[in-house]
Amino acid sequence: MGNVMRMEFSALAENEAFARSAAAAFVMPADPTIEELTEIKTAVSEAVSNCVIHSGSESVAMECALEKSGRLTIKIEDRGVGIEDVDKAMEPLFTTGDEEERSGMGFTVMESFMDKLRVKSEIGKGTTVIMIKYLDVPGDI
């Protein structure tokens, strides 16, 4: 058995940094490398940012689970509008926002920094992003 943390916060832009910091603090007992920590923080930022910008949800929930093996699972979920076509949304450069302000690279960034990425979404009910990263754990956490 490992460690689990769940929190919920308002879907506000200023809470992106809070979520990123909380995920980083949660994983610290596993003694991640600076690179691993940066990748985790960036992926969390992208997932939370998507919720804040695109979902229309009032809140965002984040759950982190760290197993003794070093497997880190992070779930970011909203109860917003949902994504009509997840496969299309995950294509690089695809955005439903203002193309001058948004790069459409959020899912691509998450996918490149984590070992596994899964996105589940239902119209009118929200979206859940599940990210998994395998940390090189130097001992028991």
Side-chain angles (χ1 to χ4, degrees):
M1 182 77 183
N3 191 15
V4 177
M5 175 275 293
R6 182 171 174 82
M7 60 188 226
E8 188 168 349
F9 46 91
S10 297
L12 301 172
E14 57 261 39
N15 285 334
E16 179 187 325
F18 170 68
R20 186 175 63 228
S21 297
F26 177 81
V27 77
M28 287 308 290
D31 195 24
T33 65
I34 296 295
E35 182 179 351
E36 288 171 328
L37 202 53
T38 299
E39 291 172 349
I40 291 164
K41 289 166 64 174
T42 302
V44 167
S45 289
E46 292 294 333
V48 171
S49 174
N50 277 353
C51 293
V52 170
I53 294 166
H54 301 292
S55 78
S57 181
E58 291 184 13
S59 64
V60 177
M62 180 171 76
E63 181 177 295
C64 299
L66 183 58
E67 298 174 16
K68 290 187 183 290
S69 65
R71 179 184 176 183
L72 173 67
T73 303
I74 301 174
K75 290 183 191 176
I76 308 283
E77 55 191 335
D78 65 61
R79 292 182 222 85
V81 298
I83 300 171
E84 188 173 323
D85 184 343
V86 172
D87 291 333
K88 181 76 172 165
M90 292 182 74
E91 289 178 8
L93 304 177
F94 177 83
T95 182
T96 58
D98 183 346
E99 291 183 17
E100 290 181 17
E101 293 180 24
R102 307 283 172 235
S103 69
M105 296 297 288
F107 287 127
T108 302
V109 169
M110 287 179 242
E111 202 164 33
S112 68
F113 286 156
M114 303 302 273
D115 294 309
K116 294 182 182 179
L117 175 69
R118 183 171 169 216
V119 180
K120 300 186 301 184
S121 190
E122 192 172 338
I123 298 298
K125 294 196 176 180
T127 302
T128 301
V129 172
I130 302 165
M131 302 178 285
I132 296 172
K133 186 161 193 71
Y134 297 98
L135 304 173
D136 186 20
V137 181
D140 284 346
I141 52 175

